[in-house]
Amino acid sequence: MMKQKNTINNTRRSFVVIGIITFMFFVLFFRLGYLMIVKKSFLVAKAESQTSYQQTIAPKRGSILDTNGDLLATSGDVYKVSLDLEEVHNYALIKGGKDTERIKETLDDISSNFAQILGKDKDEVRKFLEQTNKEGAYLRGIPLARKVEKDKIDKIKKLRDSKKYNFVLIENDTNRYYPNNNFLAQVLGGVDLDGKGVFGLEQYYNKDLTGVPGISITEVDRKSQKLPYSDQVFTQAINGKDLTTTIDSRIQYVAEKIAEKAMVDKKPKSVRIIVTNPKTGEILAMVNKPDFNPNEPNKGVTDSKQFAQITRNGVVSDAFEPGSTFKIVTMSAALEEGKTFRDDQFFDPGYAIVDGHRIDCWKHDGHGAENLVDLLKNSCNPGFIELGRRVGKEKMNEYISKFGFGKTTGIDFPGETTGIVKSTEKVSNMDLATISFGQTDAASMVQLIGAINAILNNGVYTTPHFLKNLSEVDANGNRKIVSTYEEKNSRQVISQKTANTMAGFLEETVSKGSGKLAYLDGYGVAGKTGTAEKANIGGKGYDPKNVVASFIGGAPYNDPKISLLIAIDSPEGVEHMGGEVAAPLAHDLFQQIFNAIGFDPSKK
């Protein structure tokens, strides 16, 4: 009986043991299945991250060139040095063991070595090594230095190898360089620390200039040292495309010097110039003064507001009431609609009455009897009020739109303003009168140059633009053009007959009228001056002493090579009108441009 009881107990004990073993087997089986199936991707990735080293290979940013291939912006090969701070402290622990003083000495030694090579303060580097995240863990792979030259990188590599610094990460970096300093500053723009375009052409064409990063993945040991004979995954970086612009450095240089002289002589708030080819819309020069050095964009800048102001390309981004330069649109509309003709007769008593309100001409005693051309030559406000009345607000706004006002031109540049055009239903008789001679509506310099280009180009509109082409260099060093500029906004704004008539009128305005100080014998300069009074603060009325003096024109008028617009904001002195201030600058600019490009109208 006793023996039978012991046998039963042994059998039960065996079942319990077998049950426990079976249970543990199933637990291990399901755990293994969970790790092999459910967690496979995670564990594989973790294992690879611990046994491989991945490095991004930064592409070289494309260069920006002028139309003749001269360098305007380029990138030099520099490097970024980053440290894995967790590994820095692991290294110190291994070196120092449990001796806290030796650990401290090791960290001090690391700081001193990097500070000496990089020209940094030792204490700053030591402080850098102690950076942690919110959980208190040391940061990994953070930059210690950017834009490091190759000679210093060679020293760091030598230090890394000799000291077995497995925590050092060296990556390609780029340093943007503008060889001509302030030259074309607001147009070229700039990049941030990561080489990304943040304003100007650098921003607009950032995607093309940037390129595609490459990648290098190498197997490493537990000390992050590269394993011999290991396979390497390598994808070559694709460098950015080179941007060839329409800018002609010879013309840009001349325009820069003219603007600099005006800043000294007239002490205005700003001087802005744009020069184009009226037949194609190609921008040959663009100047904003005051300017800055894009190699040191923050030099002398105290805050972000000042930075935004000094780097702003006002030729594209700012709108102002254009004044008398806008009269070219009013007269073009009146001619095209058959509301006037060359020998049409007018009389200016010195003012016009609109809905009971008196609007004075700039010449208070009036111009007396005039024909149509005289209105333009004399820049007679009452005469243009009459032309505007004949055209009517609906047709006037129709031509304003055709000429490109009230909307973006499509220029390849960020931050373009649409200007201000009052909607037809809100235009009163008084508004129509002031719009006709260049007040109420506001326009950018790009819009205005587009308008006169249409007149000089047989009535056909061309978009002002910077792009000539984008190109790349292949593996054999051969340059290949991958895309060129395509005109998308071309349209017939006015007939060729009206355009050619207007071009002739504008030539007479310079040779015999208010633009005579821009006259250049034998070159057929056509143009119109403007003196736009700026609105008083608060928007009530205008300040006759606070003006934008301007000149817009082209030459030769019957076969134009260039067109230009000069705007001088708030010039000091008694002489402040466009015919007094801007026209003489236009004369010098035309003359020096034609000398620079070797154009002589007497030689066919």
Side-chain angles (χ1 to χ4, degrees):
M1 194 72 176
M2 191 72 173
K3 186 175 181 182
Q4 184 179 1
K5 187 175 181 180
N6 288 337
T7 301
I8 293 172
N9 288 337
N10 288 336
T11 301
R12 285 178 179 173
R13 192 176 295 113
S14 297
F15 276 122
V16 170
V17 171
I18 291 171
I20 292 172
I21 293 173
T22 303
F23 174 76
M24 291 178 64
F25 172 78
F26 277 108
V27 169
L28 291 172
F29 177 79
F30 282 112
R31 178 61 178 170
L32 183 60
Y34 172 75
L35 293 175
M36 293 179 67
I37 299 172
V38 179
K39 299 287 288 183
K40 176 184 177 182
S41 298
F42 170 77
L43 293 172
V44 168
K46 188 173 183 179
E48 287 179 350
S49 69
Q50 293 174 342
T51 60
S52 63
Y53 168 66
Q54 179 173 314
Q55 182 178 12
T56 300
I57 304 169
K60 185 175 181 180
R61 189 173 179 85
S63 297
I64 302 178
L65 314 167
D66 86 337
T67 191
N68 300 309
D70 293 333
L71 204 59
L72 300 174
T74 190
S75 292
D77 289 328
V78 287
Y79 301 85
K80 176 172 67 174
V81 178
S82 300
L83 302 183
D84 184 332
L85 301 189
E86 184 176 308
E87 289 301 318
V88 168
H89 285 268
N90 286 339
Y91 178 91
L93 283 171
I94 293 171
K95 288 288 185 181
K98 296 182 179 180
D99 188 338
T100 55
E101 190 60 34
R102 284 190 63 191
I103 293 172
K104 181 179 177 299
E105 287 176 0
T106 301
L107 292 172
D108 288 343
D109 185 55
I110 292 170
S111 303
S112 179
N113 289 335
F114 281 104
Q116 185 176 359
I117 294 173
L118 295 171
K120 288 180 172 288
D121 181 76
K122 175 187 173 183
D123 294 334
E124 287 184 10
V125 178
R126 184 66 182 83
K127 186 177 179 181
F128 174 88
L129 300 183
E130 299 301 325
Q131 294 181 85
T132 60
N133 60 21
K134 292 179 181 179
E135 286 73 37
Y138 289 109
L139 297 178
R140 313 197 70 171
I142 60 171
L144 171 63
R146 303 285 305 264
K147 318 296 183 186
V148 183
E149 301 293 339
K150 188 177 182 301
D151 60 332
K152 292 181 179 179
I153 288 297
D154 290 340
K155 292 178 182 178
I156 288 175
K157 286 180 178 178
K158 186 176 181 180
L159 173 69
R160 181 183 63 185
D161 295 341
S162 64
K163 294 279 189 177
K164 301 275 191 288
Y165 283 171
N166 63 315
F167 47 76
V168 181
L169 177 63
I170 298 172
E171 299 174 279
N172 290 338
D173 205 358
T174 56
N175 187 34
R176 203 61 168 165
Y177 176 59
Y178 303 90
N180 301 314
N181 298 319
N182 296 48
F183 190 82
L184 205 67
Q186 289 92 342
V187 172
L188 294 174
V191 300
D192 61 15
L193 273 175
D194 295 317
K196 179 183 178 182
V198 289
F199 61 98
L201 290 176
E202 295 276 26
Q203 178 186 348
Y204 191 90
Y205 285 103
N206 183 65
K207 185 177 179 180
D208 298 295
L209 292 165
T210 298
V212 181
I215 190 171
S216 172
I217 303 175
T218 308
E219 291 184 41
V220 295
D221 61 18
R222 64 185 182 86
K223 293 183 179 181
S224 298
Q225 300 296 317
K226 182 180 177 182
L227 292 172
Y229 314 114
S230 63
D231 292 330
Q232 183 180 33
V233 177
F234 180 80
T235 303
Q236 181 67 50
I238 301 173
N239 291 334
K241 299 179 181 66
D242 291 336
L243 168 65
T244 299
T245 69
T246 58
I247 293 293
D248 188 324
S249 291
R250 299 169 300 175
I251 297 175
Q252 180 71 25
Y253 178 81
V254 167
E256 296 255 3
K257 292 302 178 184
I258 293 287
E260 287 171 7
K261 186 175 187 303
M263 287 293 290
V264 173
D265 293 345
K266 299 300 178 181
K267 298 178 175 58
K269 292 180 179 178
S270 68
V271 177
R272 290 166 177 164
I273 298 173
I274 179 172
V275 182
T276 72
N277 179 337
K279 295 178 181 178
T280 64
E282 292 180 338
I283 298 171
L284 307 176
M286 187 178 286
V287 178
N288 291 264
K289 299 290 182 182
D291 57 19
F292 67 102
N293 185 345
N295 291 306
E296 302 175 295
N298 294 308
K299 187 175 182 180
V301 175
T302 57
D303 53 44
S304 59
K305 184 178 179 181
Q306 185 184 2
F307 179 82
Q309 187 63 34
I310 198 70
T311 58
R312 185 180 182 84
N313 185 355
V315 177
V316 178
S317 301
D318 291 349
F320 62 102
E321 294 185 14
S324 294
T325 55
F326 190 79
K327 291 172 180 175
I328 63 176
V329 175
T330 303
M331 187 170 285
S332 293
L335 282 167
E336 187 73 4
E337 288 298 308
K339 302 298 183 181
T340 189
F341 53 94
R342 180 184 179 93
D343 294 323
D344 201 357
Q345 297 299 306
F346 301 83
F347 185 84
D348 171 27
Y351 62 89
I353 303 296
V354 180
D355 286 351
H357 296 281
R358 174 173 171 146
I359 303 177
D360 289 325
C361 184
W362 67 268
K363 186 178 181 182
H364 295 299
D365 57 352
H367 294 99
E370 301 172 287
N371 64 19
L372 184 64
V373 187
D374 292 332
L375 296 187
L376 203 59
K377 287 159 58 178
N378 297 330
S379 198
C380 177
N381 286 353
F384 278 90
I385 291 173
E386 172 60 20
L387 291 180
R389 185 193 66 78
R390 294 182 189 181
V391 173
K393 62 181 183 180
E394 289 83 6
K395 279 293 180 182
M396 180 61 77
N397 264 5
E398 183 181 313
Y399 280 94
I400 286 172
S401 178
K402 282 183 177 180
F403 271 104
F405 298 98
K407 54 190 174 184
T408 56
T409 64
I411 185 175
D412 48 343
F413 200 88
E416 181 186 7
T417 180
T418 60
I420 301 170
V421 173
K422 204 162 191 177
S423 61
T424 303
E425 60 271 15
K426 292 183 179 180
V427 173
S428 65
N429 291 333
M430 191 68 171
D431 290 330
L432 179 59
T434 56
I435 288 169
S436 298
F437 61 80
Q439 287 185 352
T440 301
D441 286 350
S444 71
M445 292 180 68
V446 171
Q447 290 172 329
L448 286 165
I449 202 73
I452 199 167
N453 283 353
I455 291 171
L456 295 171
N457 188 39
N458 297 319
V460 178
Y461 186 89
T462 56
T463 306
H465 63 275
F466 288 104
L467 174 66
K468 183 175 183 180
N469 64 59
L470 289 165
S471 63
E472 59 188 16
V473 178
D474 62 23
N476 298 319
N478 300 315
R479 181 170 297 281
K480 180 179 69 174
I481 294 176
V482 295
S483 64
T484 57
Y485 176 76
E486 293 182 17
E487 176 61 66
K488 298 178 181 178
N489 297 320
S490 181
R491 57 188 181 272
Q492 192 79 41
V493 177
I494 52 177
S495 67
Q496 181 175 344
K497 179 181 178 183
T498 299
N500 293 344
T501 299
M502 278 298 301
F505 287 178
L506 289 168
E507 190 280 329
E508 290 187 53
T509 301
V510 171
S511 61
K512 302 175 184 176
S514 57
K516 59 183 178 294
L517 293 182
Y519 180 72
L520 197 59
D521 188 28
Y523 284 83
V525 175
K528 181 73 189 74
T529 60
T531 308
E533 295 176 356
K534 297 173 70 175
N536 289 318
I537 297 174
K540 294 183 179 180
Y542 293 86
D543 182 354
K545 294 183 180 179
N546 190 16
V547 303
V548 176
S550 60
F551 178 92
I552 192 168
Y557 76 97
N558 56 353
D559 183 22
K561 300 295 184 290
I562 58 169
S563 59
L564 58 84
L565 172 57
I566 301 173
I568 305 162
D569 187 355
S570 306
E572 291 185 1
V574 177
E575 294 183 344
H576 62 277
M577 298 182 71
E580 300 168 325
V581 178
L585 292 180
H587 167 275
D588 294 346
L589 188 52
F590 275 122
Q591 187 173 55
Q592 292 183 37
I593 288 173
F594 286 136
N595 287 341
I597 65 176
F599 174 71
D600 184 349
S602 65
K603 297 177 181 179
K604 300 296 182 180

